[in-house]
Amino acid sequence: MTPDPGEQEGPPRSPSRPADQLHAQWQAKKAEIGTHVSHARDQLDQANERIKERTGRDLVLAILMGLLIGAVLLASLLFVKWAFVIFAGAGVLLAIGELTIALRTGGRRVDLWPQLVAGTALVVTGYFAEPWLCWIMLFVAVAAVVVWRLVSQMIVRDERTYGDVLTDAVASGFIQIYVPFLAATALMLLREPSGEWWVLAFIGVVVAADTAAYASGLLFGRGGRHPMAPRVSPKKTWEGFAGAVTASLAAGVLFGIFALDIPWWAGLLFGAALVASATIGDLGESLLKRDLGIKDMSSWLPGHGGLLDRLDSILPSAVVALGLFHLLSPLSVS
């Protein structure tokens, strides 16, 4: 049927049925939500780019990688205690390889396979043997890698100077002390009664300190207002350190009360000692990287740099945590 030419079409009528009205409202709300999500994503991308430009880190990748590692860490500690030994052992081997490559880049001659074998023996001894055997194993491991390096140099007979050879030997022994032995002290703590909770607590406090230092440094330390150690690590500020101290004290109290069953004041001591060791470890690795002329130990961990860039605070804190266990565990209120 042909419409009347004189009849004018009016504006489209709104849906008359309730179902049509509900569908239209849903489509409008969906479009609104999509707009908000797109705006939020753009803001996050812009913020991430600004942070990446300033720190050289991809924030999103760093968070995702941190969550993944944290999930594996929690599962290995809380569900199958000895599984943490596998987790720690794999980390030690990767860290040894990372540090060996970094030292070679800096001109040092270090033998990888002897380092891996000696490091594995140290880690295994830390959990499955008595503590005094671990100290003996440390001496054996250091002696083995140093002798191996010296013998290898004698076989090569090149023009390397006496000072360079001595530095190579010291670097070889340093790897065993810095990575597998410090990791072994964490495993000594793990094998103690309720040791899994102490390991979880000290790692949690150190991670809280690192995260808070990063966040407060970005928020309050822009432009490096008050650099903490400009010759060692120019981007570390006193503002970031203040955030680290605040977070570590709070985390120490919370972990102390709810995980370790120690008084709140002992939790404060726990947090204070760990933030001190974490800061020293962080600055120590920054000094090492500056000496080697590198920014990160490697790029194995997306958003984080190298594995040692994440372990630099945790490894020295393991020794402090072991000492704190023997000092504070008698104060348990349970």
Side-chain angles (χ1 to χ4, degrees):
M1 183 176 179
T2 306
D4 187 352
E7 183 179 350
Q8 295 182 353
E9 294 184 3
R13 294 176 299 174
S14 59
S16 57
R17 292 182 299 172
D20 293 337
Q21 294 177 354
L22 184 61
H23 180 71
Q25 292 175 357
W26 164 248
Q27 291 297 329
K29 180 60 70 174
K30 182 179 178 182
E32 182 182 356
I33 293 174
T35 301
H36 289 311
V37 170
S38 178
H39 181 64
R41 185 185 296 118
D42 291 339
Q43 288 185 324
L44 179 61
D45 290 340
Q46 293 173 8
N48 189 36
E49 286 302 319
R50 288 195 297 270
I51 293 173
K52 188 175 181 180
E53 182 180 354
R54 182 180 171 191
T55 65
R57 306 288 188 206
D58 189 312
L59 181 61
V60 175
L61 280 176
I63 292 174
L64 292 176
M65 184 59 63
L67 290 175
L68 176 61
I69 295 175
V72 176
L73 173 70
L74 283 173
S76 64
L77 279 175
L78 301 182
F79 295 106
V80 186
K81 184 175 178 178
W82 57 264
F84 182 76
V85 181
I86 301 175
F87 179 78
V92 164
L93 294 180
L94 288 174
I96 288 175
E98 190 175 85
L99 184 54
T100 298
I101 293 172
L103 288 170
R104 286 177 176 177
T105 302
R108 304 275 64 83
R109 289 187 181 177
V110 182
D111 308 287
L112 178 59
W113 287 107
Q115 294 285 346
L116 294 176
V117 172
T120 301
L122 256 177
V123 169
V124 171
T125 304
Y127 185 75
F128 293 103
E130 295 297 324
W132 63 271
L133 283 175
C134 190
W135 287 97
I136 293 177
M137 189 64 228
L138 172 64
F139 174 80
V140 172
V142 171
V145 296
V146 168
V147 170
W148 186 287
R149 175 86 298 270
L150 294 177
V151 171
S152 299
Q153 183 60 43
M154 291 172 59
I155 294 174
V156 173
R157 289 174 178 253
D158 57 9
E159 299 301 321
R160 201 160 179 81
T161 66
Y162 174 79
D164 288 336
V165 174
L166 180 60
T167 304
D168 295 341
V170 171
S172 297
F174 168 74
I175 293 176
Q176 289 299 306
I177 297 171
Y178 181 48
V179 182
F181 176 68
L182 293 183
T185 60
L187 298 180
M188 292 183 205
L189 177 59
L190 179 67
R191 70 194 300 267
E192 297 288 348
S194 300
E196 64 272 24
W197 293 105
W198 283 84
V199 171
L200 177 62
F202 100 77
I203 293 178
V205 170
V206 172
V207 169
D210 282 348
T211 305
Y214 182 79
S216 59
L218 284 176
L219 292 174
F220 307 112
R222 289 189 177 181
R225 288 182 188 171
H226 300 92
M228 189 175 182
R231 294 188 178 181
V232 177
S233 183
K235 293 184 178 180
K236 289 181 174 59
T237 62
W238 285 108
E239 290 84 357
F241 179 68
V245 170
T246 302
S248 62
L249 292 178
V253 171
L254 292 175
F255 276 111
I257 293 174
F258 295 107
L260 308 181
D261 292 327
I262 57 177
W264 66 268
W265 59 266
L268 283 176
L269 178 61
F270 188 74
L274 288 174
V275 73
S277 63
T279 303
I280 292 172
D282 195 4
L283 291 174
E285 200 205 2
S286 295
L287 182 62
L288 175 61
K289 289 189 291 187
R290 180 169 287 270
D291 182 65
L292 295 175
I294 58 177
K295 181 181 181 295
D296 293 322
M297 282 295 179
S298 74
S299 57
W300 291 358
L301 293 179
H304 291 270
L307 181 60
L308 275 175
D309 295 311
R310 298 281 66 83
L311 294 179
D312 56 357
S313 301
I314 293 176
L315 287 173
S317 297
V319 179
V320 176
L322 182 61
L324 289 170
F325 167 79
H326 292 292
L327 178 65
L328 300 179
S329 59
L331 301 175
S332 176
V333 296
S334 62

